[in-house]
Amino acid sequence: MKKLLGILGLVTLIASPTFAGDPSNGVWKTAVSETTGGWLYVKIYDCDDLICGTIENAYTSDGEISEDYAHKGAAIIWDMQINGDGTYKKGKIRDHANEKDYSSKMVLKGDVLDVKGCVWGICQAQTWERVVD
């Protein structure tokens, strides 16, 4: 009986949405930079009950990995709260180009992630695309 309960508990844990991870988890391609023509790959993942993201790679305008990108592995999203309906709020996002942090929210629409960062009521938004291996 104890063995059966243990197996049922394990199956429940594996099938739970928390264990499976949030639908936003994965690697995302940012919008192309207006200044450099390059883009980033951002890895989004669960961090406790929140969403976080780090820079996985930076790409040049001709699609090559920028080996000397100084912010590879750095945090870009943190403390993003999950609403459970494909929306996220009260997070922070960092613009490494100007080394500033912004209040952020996100909206997930399938393989598209709308990301918005605001400071003093002035907002900028980008649409990111999911990277599929």
Side-chain angles (χ1 to χ4, degrees):
M1 184 63 151
K2 284 184 181 181
K3 186 175 182 180
L4 178 61
L5 289 175
I7 292 171
L8 287 174
L10 181 61
V11 168
T12 302
L13 178 64
I14 291 171
S16 76
T18 302
F19 186 81
D22 188 79
S24 68
N25 288 355
V27 178
W28 295 87
K29 178 185 177 187
T30 66
V32 173
S33 167
E34 293 177 7
T35 55
T36 68
W39 62 89
L40 301 175
Y41 273 11
V42 175
K43 182 175 184 175
I44 294 181
Y45 55 91
D46 297 329
C47 53
D48 297 321
D49 292 330
L50 303 170
I51 295 297
C52 296
T54 56
I55 298 171
E56 187 170 83
N57 272 315
Y59 291 82
T60 64
S61 59
D62 45 344
E64 300 295 320
I65 292 178
S66 178
E67 298 294 341
D68 59 348
Y69 183 70
H71 305 291
K72 185 175 179 176
I76 190 167
I77 297 170
W78 64 95
D79 293 342
M80 189 70 68
Q81 295 178 7
I82 303 166
N83 290 336
D85 61 353
T87 62
Y88 305 83
K89 64 181 181 182
K90 297 185 180 179
K92 294 288 184 183
I93 191 163
R94 183 161 186 87
D95 181 350
H96 286 281
N98 64 16
E99 297 299 319
K100 292 186 179 178
D101 300 335
Y102 299 91
S103 297
S104 183
K105 61 183 179 178
M106 305 186 310
V107 178
L108 178 64
K109 301 172 190 168
D111 287 336
V112 173
L113 186 65
D114 291 327
V115 181
K116 184 185 272 188
C118 302
V119 62
W120 298 317
I122 300 170
C123 301
Q124 290 188 347
Q126 283 191 353
T127 298
W128 296 1
E129 298 175 6
R130 188 182 299 275
V131 175
V132 180
D133 293 331

